[in-house]
Amino acid sequence: MTTRVLTGITTSGTPHLGNYAGAIRPSIQASVQPGVDAFYFMADYHALIKCDDPQRIARSRLEIAATWLAAGLDADKVTFYRQSDIPEIPELCWMLTCVTAKGLMNRAHAYKASVDQNVARQAEPDDGITMGLFSYPILMAADILMFNAHKVPVGRDQIQHLEMARDIAQRFNYLYGGGKDFFVMPEAQIDDDVATLPGLDGRKMSKSYDNTIPLFEGGAKAMRAAVARIVTDSREPGEPKDAEGSHLYTLYRAFATHEESGQFRRELEEGMGWGDAKVRLCDRIEQELAPMRERYAQLIAAPQRIEDILQAGAAKARRLSAPFIAQLREAVGLRQTAAPVSKPAKSKAGKRARFASFRDEAGMFRFRFVGEDGAELFLSEGFENPKAAGDAVKRLQAEGLDGFVVRQDGQASICVDGVLICRLDADALERVRQAIAGMAEEA
Ligand code: TRP
């Protein structure tokens, strides 16, 4: 069985070395494991919650996409997309919002922390807090539930959001599932082996502490300049150093093999100067980053290529989200009032069954099969490719229904070349069969 792994990256900044070692590198490694179906996306709707600078949002989306691709993400193997290219996500977010208890959101750590800060400075509790921040966990639940992810690799600070996603999913399943579950229960995946890098001052490397080492921006020069600023103790060259206790060693270990790290450690203990150690650290990091930095520069210079990759990723994701949201709309009662009939044929109006092709709101190509009386007999699943939809119609018309019926678990479906066209009950199937047969006779 494949495990669907999904994670999002908020696009509000430029990736640094800590993001690379703590998230990007392990995610790319995980994506090539057998049995893993990885979904990685840019959480750009989430970015709007904390950033109202359009330039910065736009720039960050580009930089983050280029970083992942340069670091070796295979966009053909994983599903790599921008959240805002999937309109089914905000649509699902609204459906989930309508079943989420406000009390649940009141308990969210991020929201509570903001309230606490306001109270501490004697401001209104909700001062400066937007509905975006308040509802942040629901949007995140929509990201996850939309694709029925099993595992969600995140930092510890996100565990509560996963619990909330499960709560919300359960509530929706209970209200609308009628015994069947729409959503898989997702689980947080916390990887303790993954490196958390110390920043220049020794605290966790983080943009909010302003202690980061740049990844690609500014080139090798900027990286070396930052490493030169890493805080060390004042031991002179020749004096033995406490390797275990030094941030330089922690950083080195995140990039080196076991043997290389042992060697580095011994040399520090034998008195290697901090200056030399910094040069060694930079060289080791560069060994890994230099080829990626080159690819990064090429990608940034060719934004159209990145856009094409992301558009293809969005189309791939929407092949799942579009039919799924259609099911969910149906479940909550957002249904068509009656089968809309596209304009009746001019000549023998209403006398002849026919196929009517169209493009749906999601941009997918579908067709309806309409009976002699003008009533819809079925609506096909969406095709990405109009020609594939057209070919399926032609084959049904030419060959009749019988060769295309697949029965399973008491349900029948029509499949052409293994592609599902629609599911039908026995009566509906019979009506379709007769109508298609009737067309053949007339032709
Ligand atoms: N909240 C996550 C973070 O700040 C980003 C995120 C948004 C996310 N949607 C997600 C992570 C869905 C995992 C799954 O890190």
Side-chain angles (χ1 to χ4, degrees), residues 6-10 41 43 46 136 140 143-144 152-154 158 161:
L6 174 146
T7 198
I9 310 98
T10 309
F41 71 95
H46 278 104
Y136 181 112
M140 183 161 161
D143 293 332
I144 297 168
V152 183
V154 282
Q158 301 289 316
H161 292 151

Side-chain angles (χ1 to χ4, degrees), residues 13-139:
T14 303
H16 54 69
L17 201 66
N19 299 137
Y20 171 75
I24 301 170
R25 190 174 60 185
S27 297
I28 293 175
Q29 282 164 354
S31 73
V32 296
Q33 297 301 311
V36 167
D37 179 19
F39 280 58
Y40 297 147
F41 71 95
M42 278 160 280
D44 48 4
Y45 280 139
H46 278 104
L48 297 182
I49 296 171
K50 33 179 165 168
C51 174
D52 60 9
D53 174 356
Q55 301 294 347
R56 171 134 171 222
I57 295 279
R59 182 75 197 162
S60 174
R61 283 170 18 131
L62 180 68
E63 287 174 350
I64 292 181
T67 300
W68 281 73
L69 295 168
L73 184 79
D74 179 352
D76 289 329
K77 180 156 193 314
V78 312
T79 306
F80 183 54
Y81 55 98
R82 282 178 298 224
Q83 183 185 34
S84 65
D85 285 335
I86 315 294
E88 292 80 15
I89 292 175
E91 190 170 353
L92 175 58
C93 181
W94 182 251
M95 292 186 198
L96 299 178
T97 299
C98 294
V99 304
T100 301
K102 174 169 176 289
L104 183 69
M105 293 301 103
N106 287 341
R107 292 197 287 278
H109 299 320
Y111 168 65
K112 281 206 314 200
S114 303
V115 170
D116 290 348
Q117 279 170 19
N118 284 335
V119 171
R121 60 182 182 86
Q122 295 182 345
E124 283 292 307
D126 280 335
D127 191 45
I129 297 177
T130 64
M131 288 307 294
L133 177 68
F134 187 66
S135 307
Y136 181 112
I138 314 179
L139 179 56

Side-chain angles (χ1 to χ4, degrees), residues 14 30 33 47 67-68 90 96 141 243 254 271 295 298 308 337 339 350 384 388 420 437:
T14 303
Q33 297 301 311
T67 300
W68 281 73
L96 299 178
R295 286 198 292 273
Q298 285 165 2
D308 290 346
T337 48
E384 261 210 307
L420 175 69

Side-chain angles (χ1 to χ4, degrees), residues 337-375:
T337 48
V341 180
S342 21
K343 61 178 171 17
K346 287 165 263 138
S347 52
K348 302 175 237 168
K351 286 281 174 260
R352 204 171 176 283
R354 63 201 166 80
F355 290 93
S357 303
F358 65 103
R359 195 157 185 195
D360 69 13
E361 298 147 83
M364 305 287 269
F365 296 91
R366 292 178 185 263
F367 53 88
R368 287 195 174 83
F369 185 50
V370 182
E372 291 172 358
D373 57 358

Side-chain angles (χ1 to χ4, degrees), residues 179-244:
K180 120 176 203 287
D181 285 345
F182 285 110
F183 300 125
V184 162
M185 292 298 128
E187 271 172 49
Q189 192 175 44
I190 310 287
D191 190 344
D192 289 315
D193 295 340
V194 159
T196 308
L197 298 191
L200 302 181
D201 56 0
R203 291 186 292 173
K204 179 183 167 191
M205 192 182 295
S206 161
K207 201 176 51 183
S208 33
Y209 295 147
D210 196 19
N211 65 355
T212 61
I213 299 175
L215 181 61
F216 299 140
E217 289 299 292
K221 209 169 140 213
M223 197 273 291
R224 287 184 188 273
V227 168
R229 297 204 311 275
I230 296 175
V231 175
T232 61
D233 64 27
S234 54
R235 268 171 242 192
E236 298 288 328
E239 282 185 69
K241 313 285 186 299
D242 168 20
E244 265 323 310

Side-chain angles (χ1 to χ4, degrees), residues 79 81 85-86 309-321 364 384:
T79 306
Y81 55 98
D85 285 335
I86 315 294
I309 292 171
L310 292 172
Q311 290 296 342
K316 194 164 153 192
R318 295 194 71 197
R319 250 174 266 154
L320 297 171
S321 59
M364 305 287 269
E384 261 210 307

